[in-house]
Amino acid sequence: MCGIVGIVGTRSVALRLADALRRLEYRGYDSAGVATIHNGRLERRRAEGKLFNLEKALENEPLAGTIGIAHTRWATHGVPNVANAHPHFVDGVAVVHNGIIENFSELKDELLMDGAVFKSQTDTEVVAHLLARYIREGLNHRAAMLAMLNRISGAYALVVMFKEMPGTIMAARFGPPLAIGHGDGEMFLGSDAIALSSFTNEITYLLDGDCAIVTHGGAEIIDYRGLPLTRARQVSLATAYRVEKGNHRHFMEKEIYEQPEIISHALGHLIDFAQNTVKFRSDAIDFGAVSSLAISACGSAYLSGLVGKYWFERYARLPVEIDVASEFRYREVPLLPSQAALFISQSGETADTLASLRYCKDQGLPIGAIVNVPESTIARESDVVFPISAGPEVGVASTKAFTCQLAVLAALSIGAGRSRGTLSSEQEKVMVRHLAEMPRVMSEVLNTLQPQIEALSRHLSHSKDVLYLGRGTSFPLALEGALKLKEISYIHAEGYAAGELKHGPIALIDENMPVIVIAPHDRFFEKTVSNMQEVAARGGKIIFITDEKGAAASKLPTMATIALPNVDEIIAPMIFSLPIQLLAYQTAVFMGTDVDQPRNLAKSVTVE
Ligand code: F6R
């Protein structure tokens, strides 16, 4: 979602701001802009589309100035165009904003009555108008900022410059993240530490309800009444190196091929590979004692949690309540302090997941987070963090974060099984040995699958609709396969539990419908093969993703069979994720879509 950068500098800032925006590209955006103050003038350049367009605008008409703010916008209110791009200017006030001002239409009506002229369709512009109005009415800039903050409601990270204060940037956070960077004689603001990583690694994170007044001399943090607050300064681990594609065509491809290496980082925190045991122990969540688990997340992270549900229930006999966070947060789920809650998020900033976390916290549950960004809000608000250590995931479609989340969930469910006495030490050792095999098997699969995937993807790229089926842990994988295909190739795809076929989706099957069946040779295999039979009888084209045993056992005609190595059930979901990811990726490549930044999607969804 939107990205924000600001610099109170000692040398020219425009190009440095544009460069910092590049680090926020992974969040998704559809327009961008930069503003500076120079010689008492507030000036800006804005452009629709990719950052390249903004860089071109800056090249054609450079911006001078040693103080500035910049923004990448992911449209919520108003189409992506130059007029709606930030920064928004009103009478010497410049504003960039991430989030949603929920009471904007009521404020806008009030401001219109007052004679304000709006130049954009955004909710953000009301903030600039409110500030301008309070200054016109005689408030000083700081008082105007506080008055504005006391009028708006919603979720926002706001960064503001005033033409008359050429050495100050003001900022506020309520919801989406915002960090202050402390440099040498210079100060910075950014949506996350990655945006600031080339400037400084000394960071202060703002909390909800914080307002910051940033000058060359440092940052003063106050609440909305103007009372002083103390916020810690910490050293960020965010890498200063821009993540590169290497020799891959897209970040998504790179991230798929990285999985054998990084999956072991994910496991490294939880597994003692020398002893073949789960080494995780936490005082915060006692998996041996909790009565049940509540899991909540969004998108692919939710689907990894759904696989986790099967594991926790089977291996640890631990009941799991799971829901997408956008529903969970409003369901008023009755919860008991004897339960524990787990939240899964690559970014650690997803608004709905964070709201669900806060709901569970209010109910007194211990909170665990499975996150990729260790300094994220979700991580910081949790009692215990299980890092997936996947490194920056740039492709909007989650790949390596998904399998690393699965790896962490697998390890946790084995650990929970041991704590609850439902798995013996011998079973633990066997399962951990299987987890340890994962990097090797993943490499093997990635090295051999490509030619077959290419042929199949060429075929899929001509399809209008695709159905994915699976049972057990392969059911969430069917959902993930469909999600991945639709988000990057824009082909309509649905995932179903194979047993649900007869209850509706079978009506769709004809000779034009590719049906991707995910079925390792596990205890559900025969049942899934019966469902395949039903598809075959109606002329459906089956792409069968199974293992060598499954390929040998099934005599059904298929359009193609992908036979993966035979692996234990505990690692099958991670291994079977690979062909699913590659099929979606390669299909999108054939269709010529913007694989890493598919239309309408954002990497970090910080509004609901
Ligand atoms: C799909 C995808 C999204 C995310 C979802 C949650 O490929 O990437 O569905 O999984 O937006 O994001 P995080 O994990 O950052 O909370």
Side-chain angles (χ1 to χ4, degrees):
M1 300 236 130
C2 310
I4 290 178
V5 196
I7 306 179
V8 184
T10 50
R11 58 196 173 86
S12 179
V13 291
L15 295 180
R16 294 158 78 201
L17 286 166
D19 187 61
L21 287 182
R22 280 247 171 246
R23 289 172 210 286
L24 291 169
E25 257 195 310
Y26 73 96
R27 298 164 74 94
Y29 68 102
D30 35 44
S31 59
V34 176
T36 59
I37 305 175
H38 184 58
N39 287 341
R41 279 169 61 86
L42 196 52
E43 275 202 75
R44 69 184 162 188
R45 303 287 176 263
R46 297 181 293 172
E48 190 181 326
K50 296 290 173 195
L51 276 177
F52 170 77
N53 299 337
L54 177 66
E55 287 160 355
K56 246 191 131 82
L58 284 168
E59 201 179 296
N60 294 340
E61 282 186 283
L63 274 183
T66 57
I67 182 166
I69 58 179
H71 187 261
T72 45
R73 171 172 188 257
W74 188 84
T76 55
H77 296 59
V79 296
N81 62 16
V82 171
N84 288 332
H86 302 210
H88 289 286
F89 283 5
V90 176
D91 297 342
V93 177
V95 177
V96 294
H97 161 225
N98 175 15
I100 289 175
I101 309 293
E102 285 176 7
N103 59 342
F104 99 99
S105 59
E106 141 200 347
L107 290 171
K108 188 168 176 174
D109 288 346
E110 180 186 314
L111 288 156
L112 283 169
M113 300 258 288
D114 223 25
V117 177
F118 280 79
K119 302 213 170 83
S120 77
Q121 302 154 305
T122 64
D123 51 342
T124 309
E125 203 182 333
V126 297
V127 172
H129 277 287
L130 273 179
L131 287 167
R133 179 168 100 182
Y134 291 135
I135 291 167
R136 250 191 340 266
E137 287 173 358
L139 295 186
N140 65 32
H141 297 87
R142 179 192 183 103
M145 183 79 181
L146 294 178
M148 176 276 294
L149 291 172
N150 282 297
R151 287 300 312 279
I152 60 172
S153 62
Y156 50 81
L158 280 168
V159 172
V160 177
M161 272 191 326
F162 301 97
K163 186 176 82 174
E164 289 156 6
M165 296 193 83
T168 304
I169 294 180
M170 295 194 192
R173 174 192 178 174
F174 204 95
L178 198 57
I180 296 172
H182 304 261
D184 193 8
E186 297 191 308
M187 292 291 290
F188 308 92
L189 279 146
S191 296
D192 58 31
I194 297 175
L196 302 180
S197 58
S198 64
F199 305 135
T200 179
N201 63 355
E202 288 203 29
I203 302 290
T204 300
Y205 288 101
L206 293 180
L207 302 184
D208 284 353
D210 285 1
C211 172
I213 295 154
V214 182
T215 59
H216 287 103
E220 180 191 355
I221 302 173
I222 53 178
D223 67 15
Y224 291 1
R225 291 166 301 169
L227 300 175
L229 295 168
T230 311
R231 299 286 174 238
R233 189 162 155 167
Q234 52 187 271
V235 175
S236 159
L237 302 176
T239 169
Y241 304 108
R242 182 175 292 170
V243 190
E244 303 286 356
K245 285 199 276 266
N247 49 10
H248 290 280
R249 292 169 290 179
H250 299 96
F251 280 106
M252 182 174 177
E253 185 185 50
K254 172 175 176 265
E255 286 156 7
I256 291 173
Y257 280 88
E258 262 172 12
Q259 291 173 101
E261 187 192 340
I262 52 128
I263 201 106
S264 47
H265 302 174
L267 289 169
H269 300 284
L270 298 170
I271 299 286
D272 180 338
F273 288 113
Q275 305 293 325
N276 286 318
T277 54
V278 174
K279 65 181 179 195
F280 143 73
R281 297 282 171 269
S282 156
D283 294 336
I285 298 182
D286 180 354
F287 282 97
V290 292
S291 61
S292 68
L293 270 186
I295 302 183
S296 190
C298 299
S300 293
Y302 160 73
L303 296 174
S304 73
L306 199 50
V307 175
K309 173 185 166 77
Y310 284 83
W311 284 333
F312 280 114
E313 293 188 342
R314 181 167 182 212
Y315 300 127
R317 308 300 299 147
L318 180 57
V320 174
E321 144 81 39
I322 176 162
D323 203 351
V324 289
S326 52
E327 290 300 316
F328 186 97
R329 63 181 290 188
Y330 293 119
R331 264 176 49 208
E332 301 183 25
V333 188
L335 295 166
L336 298 169
S338 61
Q339 297 175 271
L342 262 188
F343 299 91
I344 308 168
S345 176
Q346 187 286 127
S347 61
E349 301 294 350
T350 301
D352 285 321
T353 310
L354 181 59
S356 300
L357 180 156
R358 288 176 179 163
Y359 174 81
C360 290
K361 210 170 190 175
D362 287 346
Q363 309 288 308
L365 269 68
I367 308 291
I370 298 177
V371 291
N372 195 27
V373 182
E375 295 154 11
S376 59
T377 312
I378 288 177
R380 282 183 283 123
E381 294 198 14
S382 297
D383 300 312
V384 52
V385 176
F386 306 106
I388 65 165
S389 304
E393 190 179 61
V394 178
V396 162
S398 187
T399 50
K400 61 177 183 171
F402 177 72
T403 48
C404 287
Q405 287 159 359
L406 289 178
V408 166
L409 284 160
L412 288 179
S413 63
I414 298 170
R418 283 296 290 135
S419 312
R420 300 171 76 80
T422 51
L423 287 179
S424 66
S425 138
E426 198 40 50
Q427 284 171 311
E428 175 187 23
K429 283 197 180 357
V430 171
M431 291 170 95
V432 169
R433 262 187 238 120
H434 287 303
L435 290 180
E437 287 167 6
M438 210 157 41
R440 176 187 51 77
V441 183
M442 283 185 141
S443 299
E444 204 177 303
V445 170
L446 289 171
N447 290 337
T448 51
L449 228 49
Q450 194 54 26
Q452 199 181 5
I453 294 283
E454 269 198 40
L456 279 173
S457 302
R458 202 175 287 283
H459 183 89
L460 281 184
S461 67
H462 299 294
S463 308
K464 257 185 81 225
D465 309 280
V466 178
L467 200 61
Y468 287 73
L469 299 176
R471 278 176 189 260
T473 53
S474 300
F475 162 50
L477 285 197
L479 298 175
E480 170 66 2
L483 177 64
K484 214 93 302 177
L485 186 70
K486 72 182 123 190
E487 68 184 330
I488 58 169
S489 73
Y490 316 144
I491 294 173
H492 171 240
E494 298 289 343
Y496 272 95
E500 279 288 295
L501 187 66
K502 286 194 209 55
H503 301 284
I506 198 163
L508 297 171
I509 309 281
D510 63 15
E511 56 292 344
N512 298 317
M513 171 71 102
V515 180
I516 300 182
V517 181
I518 304 161
H521 195 268
D522 57 14
R523 61 207 167 103
F524 306 111
F525 183 75
E526 295 303 335
K527 289 189 189 302
T528 311
V529 168
S530 310
N531 300 127
M532 274 169 64
Q533 190 90 53
E534 293 154 10
V535 173
R538 284 154 186 89
K541 293 188 208 142
I542 297 170
I543 298 173
F544 188 28
I545 305 182
T546 183
D547 47 29
E548 283 153 6
K549 273 194 211 154
S554 158
K555 303 282 174 277
L556 281 179
T558 62
M559 187 176 106
T561 297
I562 297 177
L564 299 171
N566 299 321
V567 292
D568 189 80
E569 280 185 63
I570 191 71
I571 66 166
M574 288 71 109
I575 304 303
F576 278 68
S577 293
L578 302 176
I580 284 167
Q581 296 169 349
L582 286 171
L583 270 177
Y585 170 72
Q586 194 58 55
T587 305
V589 169
F590 282 135
M591 298 189 71
T593 59
D594 189 348
V595 173
D596 284 332
Q597 290 172 14
R599 68 184 182 205
N600 306 337
L601 290 177
K603 185 70 186 160
S604 179
V605 183
T606 50
V607 291
E608 59 174 305

